[in-house]
Amino acid sequence: MREPTEFLADLEARLQSLREAGLFKQERVLCTPQGPLVHTADGRELINLCANNYLGLSAHPQVIEAAHAALRSHGYGLSSVRFICGTQDLHKRLEQRLARFLGTDDAILYAAAFDANGGLFEPLLGEEDVVISDELNHASIIDGIRLCKARRMRYRHDDMADLERQLQQAQAEGARFSMVFTDGVFSMDGTVARLDEMRTLCDRHGAWLAIDECHATGFMGATGRGTHQHHGLLVDGRSRVDIITGTLGKALGGASGGFTAGPQPVIDLLRQRSRPYLFSNTLAPPIVGASIAVLDLLESSTTLRDALHANTRHFRQAIRAAGFEIKPGDHPIVPIMVYDAVIAQRLSARLLELGVYAVGFFYPVVPQGQARIRVQLSAAHDPAMLDRAVAAFAQAGHELGLLK
Ligand SMILES: *Cc1c(COP(=O)(O)O)cnc(C)c1O
């Protein structure tokens, strides 16, 4: 055994190799609420193009007021897990409202979507069962699947022929139950999963279809219900996707919290057996009250959703007109392709100097040679702000020789 003091030296060495590989993540300190414009600790104002604040609700007056109201009426925290003494009327109301919004029987709250995914598979699936997962699924899905005893199969990203091969193999090998799991929208590309085709394949092979809607709930589909609505899988208000996980930490207000929505026996069993639910604290009342107010807003009008999509169309058109290549699509995640990791970092740094906050992503977060700046639009941006951002992109792009 090595000296315990060497442990710290070993950690320092690992940190140093992250720095040398250019993989060390620096956190930028903001001193304003989350919004389309933010101020950094050094007093600069930035146009913010990298928050998941899709509907601009992170600092919305009605949301803040609802959080205050719940804080006053229901207190700061519950000091308990749900099943001991941590369930308030507010929690039950939010679960019912989420289920209605998404078209499922019921829903269950978690401290985070990471926990919703982490605690989903193990209670539901045993070793006779199979989970078939898109190879680019979110880390929390990968971890959740690792924790369960079911056989794990992967299909190539967004490849329906490969998914069908995996389904056939699961059937041939005598799987009891199969569950296909995908991100509804993939966060690095803004790719929307082909849920309509996936539903058909799952029906053909007797599999369940489950999705993670962190980048969809609140704004995908005609009334913002999610990718299932976008693909015609919300029929008479009922979801044709079996299980939906999602977050309160992105479009739905941006605080924190997650949920799983689905058939009654699924939710009932998760309440009995899902470890992150059983062994982690109740969601704080201000978040729960504010989330109910968010659903009130979204069910009463599509104004925010419509503004988000208008901003998305505007930005996608303008950045292309400026000469940049973007991944095609219509999602508010807009990957601006740079390919070269060093140039992507330089572009992001130069944009920051020009007052635009947009982060570069490169290997291993995206495949080798696929470096990009990922922009995320918000309903809270306005077109003039976006035009200023595009002008900064154009200037930086010319300076770096990316644009001719
Ligand atoms: C952000 C994200 C999560 C985690 O959500 P939290 O509520 O922040 O834990 C899970 N899945 C996907 C696809 C995400 O993008």
Side-chain angles (χ1 to χ4, degrees):
M1 193 115 68
R2 307 256 297 269
E3 282 296 317
T5 49
E6 288 179 42
F7 188 32
L8 290 181
D10 182 64
L11 301 185
E12 286 297 353
R14 281 192 260 164
L15 286 165
Q16 190 52 31
S17 64
L18 284 177
R19 285 190 197 95
E20 280 159 16
L23 298 175
F24 191 86
K25 298 182 218 22
Q26 293 285 358
E27 298 178 0
R28 194 165 309 284
V29 179
L30 308 180
C31 47
T32 48
Q34 187 60 273
L37 297 171
V38 289
H39 289 191
T40 54
D42 56 6
R44 288 157 30 78
E45 182 174 84
L46 302 174
I47 300 173
N48 185 4
L49 297 178
C50 52
N52 301 301
N53 186 18
Y54 294 114
L55 296 171
L57 294 173
S58 305
H60 190 285
Q62 275 170 262
V63 176
I64 291 174
E65 182 42 42
H68 278 294
L71 183 62
R72 284 189 294 268
S73 63
H74 286 71
Y76 173 60
L78 268 295
S79 308
S80 172
V81 297
R82 288 287 298 276
F83 81 94
I84 298 179
C85 55
T87 300
Q88 292 173 324
D89 50 352
L90 277 186
H91 297 88
K92 298 311 287 180
R93 208 180 307 149
L94 176 57
E95 286 170 340
Q96 280 151 23
R97 290 290 302 274
L98 282 167
R100 186 176 90 193
F101 190 75
L102 299 169
T104 61
D105 290 347
D106 200 356
I108 175 175
L109 297 172
Y110 287 86
F114 206 105
D115 291 328
N117 288 331
L120 176 70
F121 301 94
E122 189 262 341
L124 300 182
L125 300 172
E127 50 197 17
E128 316 91 316
D129 305 321
V130 169
V131 195
I132 308 176
S133 175
D134 186 291
E135 66 179 349
L136 292 191
N137 275 342
H138 189 263
S140 57
I141 300 165
I142 296 169
D143 285 7
I145 292 173
R146 278 192 191 136
L147 292 171
C148 84
K149 294 212 169 65
R151 238 192 92 212
R152 301 162 219 168
M153 298 172 79
R154 276 197 310 184
Y155 62 97
R156 279 200 296 276
H157 174 52
D158 196 33
D159 182 335
M160 296 297 106
D162 195 37
L163 171 59
E164 179 147 46
R165 275 192 294 279
Q166 308 298 327
L167 280 162
Q168 282 162 343
Q169 194 182 334
Q171 235 173 348
E173 291 175 7
R176 184 181 61 163
F177 303 120
S178 310
M179 185 190 291
V180 173
F181 201 107
T182 182
D183 280 10
V185 174
F186 290 84
S187 62
M188 287 301 139
D189 296 287
T191 307
V192 182
R194 287 186 266 168
L195 293 185
D196 44 352
E197 292 174 51
M198 295 181 73
R199 180 72 273 174
T200 304
L201 288 178
C202 285
D203 286 345
R204 188 180 302 155
H205 297 281
W208 275 45
L209 179 59
I211 61 177
D212 174 333
E213 285 280 88
C214 284
H215 292 279
T217 307
F219 59 92
M220 290 295 286
T223 59
R225 305 310 160 100
T227 314
H228 59 335
Q229 185 182 39
H230 175 83
H231 274 305
L233 295 177
L234 187 66
V235 182
D236 299 328
R238 293 289 302 169
S239 173
R240 295 219 51 241
V241 168
D242 300 296
I243 296 176
I244 297 171
T245 66
T247 186
L248 304 173
K250 288 177 177 141
L252 301 184
S256 58
F259 57 83
T260 297
Q264 199 63 55
V266 167
I267 304 306
D268 289 347
L269 190 64
L270 292 176
R271 280 192 213 285
Q272 299 304 312
R273 285 279 185 263
S274 181
R275 291 162 69 84
Y277 182 81
L278 291 173
F279 297 107
S280 186
N281 206 28
T282 303
L283 210 55
I287 294 179
V288 180
S291 300
I292 294 171
V294 166
L295 294 178
D296 287 341
L297 271 171
L298 302 188
E299 285 183 350
S300 67
S301 151
T302 59
T303 306
L304 293 173
R305 177 229 171 254
D306 298 343
L308 170 63
H309 290 293
N311 282 342
T312 300
R313 282 190 297 275
H314 181 85
F315 183 85
R316 280 180 174 269
Q317 193 275 329
I319 196 81
R320 225 188 271 121
F324 284 94
E325 180 193 342
I326 60 176
K327 292 239 172 191
D330 48 20
H331 194 273
I333 292 171
V334 184
I336 300 169
M337 300 310 294
V338 177
Y339 299 106
D340 183 279
V342 175
I343 307 262
Q345 275 168 288
R346 282 201 198 133
L347 178 57
S348 164
R350 183 66 184 129
L351 286 168
L352 203 63
E353 289 169 0
L354 297 172
V356 173
Y357 191 10
V359 175
F361 289 88
F362 38 89
Y363 184 80
V365 177
V366 295
Q368 197 79 256
Q370 292 282 312
R372 67 199 62 185
I373 304 283
R374 182 183 68 174
V375 160
Q376 292 171 283
L377 282 313
S378 168
H381 289 124
D382 66 44
M385 219 180 259
L386 296 176
D387 290 341
R388 289 208 308 278
V390 170
F393 264 97
Q395 181 182 336
H398 282 291
E399 287 171 5
L400 291 169
L402 262 173
L403 300 181
K404 297 294 163 302

